[in-house]
Amino acid sequence: MKFAEFKKAGHWPTLLAAFLYFDISFMAWVSLGPLIVYIARDMNLAVNEKFTLVAIPVLAGALLRVPMGLLADMIGAKRTGIIAQLVVIVATAAVWQFGLTDKLAIELFGVALGIGGASFAVALPQASRWYPPQYQGVVMGIAGAGNMGVVLDTLLAPTIAEHWGWQAVFGCLLIPMLMVLAYYVAAAKDAPGERKPISLKAYGVLLGDSDTRWFMFFYFITFGGFVGLANALPLYFTVQYHVSGVAAGLLVALIVAFGSGFRPVGGLIADRIGGIRALSILFGIVVAAYLVIAFMPEGPTAPAPGGWALTAMPRIAWISVLLFSIGVLALGMGNGAVFQLIPLRFRHEIGLMTGLVGCAGGIGGYFLAQTLGAAKGMTGGFGAGFLFFGLLALLGFIGLAMVKVRWRTTWGAVSGARV
């Protein structure tokens, strides 16, 4: 791919605006994950209740993606993006000023943060519609790499919370939120062409297509695994390996950086060798990583009340970090590979498909966090939860083997790109 040709092929200011919008929205969406240890410190909540709280924004973001997609088709992606950013900014400012005093307040704030997660259904189609088929993998990868916002969350939030209190984190978050909104208003443009309002019936028609359901299942695994781990791992490391909140944040920042940073690489590789082949390899890596993690033992208790510092962590914790890094890298690249295929199959329904597939991915993240919490509550460990998702990734691998011949000989043969 030649950069000069790519730059001329679409509208790069909109691509950058979509990336930043998704990035800052994703940052808000997963902000409860690294902060739940601090927010719920005095609420006497069980571990499984904390996992439920960090999963609420994920579920809300998943369910709101379809209505957000509908709204974008009705009034335009840019207007929808502006409204969504304003809602999340207002909710964040309110928490910065007034805090979260009980479990219900956390749940309601989680729903508001879900609007940030639903930005996926606006930002990705907004960028995609500007570019031809041969660039869809890298374009959707770049726009979708906005999920690297979780890296900044997990890297900075615990340290800010330790020094100035967890409410200060949301005050700091408002600064980039307002800057991104200003750039988005100035630079983003909706792609030319008549906008056709989409009805709920159209979603029903697409759901009747088996290819739609396959894509939803594949993204349930890849994006669900990524966002579920991004939310759950800070709590997981503090419980499983008894590390401090700051150490957990640094570890998760390292892990999710692989998944978010390599999403465009996954799309680029899928453009080169075909999305089916790329996704098959990545599913195999995910299966292996999850299955090994499922049998990892708990780490030793820390001598200090605050937990192990980063430099004093036991070896078993570092082995776990390595395994999670490999698995999350494969999940992130898998996200890019899935969205290399979708525009080739559903070029004219990309907005609808982004909403449906994104909804499935968000639900996958919710169920991963819930499954880990339930496994801990019922068995005393997290192994059963990771086994469950390892088997799902194996089913994804088998599913690709079932559809690849049909896809390559039907719509793939006339798509204009490698499938």
Side-chain angles (χ1 to χ4, degrees):
M1 184 185 71
K2 295 182 179 179
F3 179 74
E5 295 178 2
F6 173 70
K7 187 176 178 181
K8 293 177 181 179
H11 190 253
W12 69 263
T14 297
L15 178 58
L16 177 60
F19 162 77
L20 292 173
Y21 164 39
F22 188 37
D23 185 70
I24 198 67
S25 298
F26 203 104
M27 191 184 301
W29 188 32
V30 299
S31 58
L32 283 183
L35 292 176
I36 193 64
V37 174
Y38 303 95
I39 295 173
R41 181 170 284 171
D42 300 321
M43 295 186 187
N44 196 29
L45 298 176
V47 171
N48 59 323
E49 290 181 292
K50 294 178 183 178
F51 273 97
T52 298
L53 289 175
V54 300
I56 285 175
V58 182
L59 180 62
L63 298 179
L64 288 171
R65 285 180 175 188
V66 170
M68 282 275 282
L70 286 170
L71 186 62
D73 286 324
M74 291 173 58
I75 67 173
K78 182 172 181 176
R79 290 180 182 176
T80 304
I82 292 171
I83 293 170
Q85 288 179 74
L86 287 173
V87 172
V88 178
I89 286 171
V90 169
T92 302
V95 171
W96 170 46
Q97 289 296 308
F98 305 111
L100 297 165
T101 56
D102 54 32
K103 185 178 177 181
L104 177 61
I106 300 174
E107 291 170 341
L108 292 175
F109 182 51
V111 173
L113 293 178
I115 296 174
S119 62
F120 182 91
V122 180
L124 268 70
Q126 186 177 30
S128 171
R129 290 185 178 119
W130 279 100
Y131 290 86
Q134 65 268 29
Y135 295 123
Q136 286 302 309
V138 67
V139 167
M140 297 295 262
I142 291 171
N147 56 31
M148 68 176 58
V150 69
V151 178
L152 297 176
D153 263 339
T154 51
L155 184 64
L156 302 177
T159 301
I160 295 172
E162 289 279 357
H163 287 83
W164 296 288
W166 63 264
Q167 284 178 241
V169 175
F170 294 104
C172 294
L173 184 57
L174 284 172
I175 298 172
M177 278 181 165
L178 292 170
M179 293 173 64
V180 169
L181 176 61
Y183 177 78
Y184 186 86
V185 170
K189 291 183 179 181
D190 291 335
E194 184 180 358
R195 190 170 56 246
K196 298 179 180 180
I198 304 298
S199 65
L200 285 174
K201 182 180 179 181
Y203 280 101
V205 171
L206 270 183
L207 279 171
D209 190 313
S210 63
D211 288 351
T212 300
R213 299 193 295 273
W214 277 116
F215 282 128
M216 292 174 70
F217 178 57
F218 297 150
Y219 209 61
F220 181 95
I221 298 167
T222 60
F223 187 76
F226 175 82
V227 74
L229 290 175
N231 271 279
L233 281 184
L235 188 55
Y236 169 82
F237 276 109
T238 59
V239 174
Q240 181 78 353
Y241 297 111
H242 311 287
V243 304
S244 68
V246 172
L250 292 171
L251 293 175
V252 178
L254 173 65
I255 291 167
V256 299
F258 286 102
S260 57
F262 278 82
R263 178 172 179 147
V265 177
L268 183 61
I269 292 174
D271 282 337
R272 296 276 181 88
I273 69 173
I276 294 173
R277 182 180 299 174
L279 197 54
S280 297
I281 295 170
L282 295 168
F283 273 153
I285 296 171
V286 172
V287 171
Y290 270 133
L291 292 182
V292 176
I293 289 168
F295 293 99
M296 292 284 287
E298 184 176 347
T301 303
W308 293 104
L310 188 68
T311 54
M313 281 181 7
R315 180 180 298 177
I316 189 69
W318 286 110
I319 294 173
S320 180
V321 170
L322 176 62
L323 290 169
F324 276 117
S325 297
I326 294 170
V328 171
L329 181 144
L331 289 169
M333 292 178 69
N335 291 334
V338 171
F339 267 90
Q340 183 263 353
L341 292 168
I342 290 175
L344 302 179
R345 171 64 178 86
F346 295 101
R347 175 66 175 170
H348 300 293
E349 301 89 3
I350 186 62
L352 286 161
M353 284 299 297
T354 303
L356 286 173
V357 174
C359 177
I363 292 174
Y366 170 79
F367 275 106
L368 175 56
Q370 282 288 76
T371 301
L372 292 176
K376 180 66 175 177
M378 291 188 293
T379 67
F382 296 100
F386 289 116
L387 275 176
F388 174 73
F389 263 78
L391 292 174
L392 280 182
L394 180 60
L395 289 176
F397 181 87
I398 295 170
L400 279 169
M402 293 170 59
V403 301
K404 66 180 181 180
V405 173
R406 178 173 61 83
W407 283 8
R408 285 171 175 163
T409 56
T410 54
W411 56 267
V414 295
S415 65
R418 294 183 69 92
V419 172

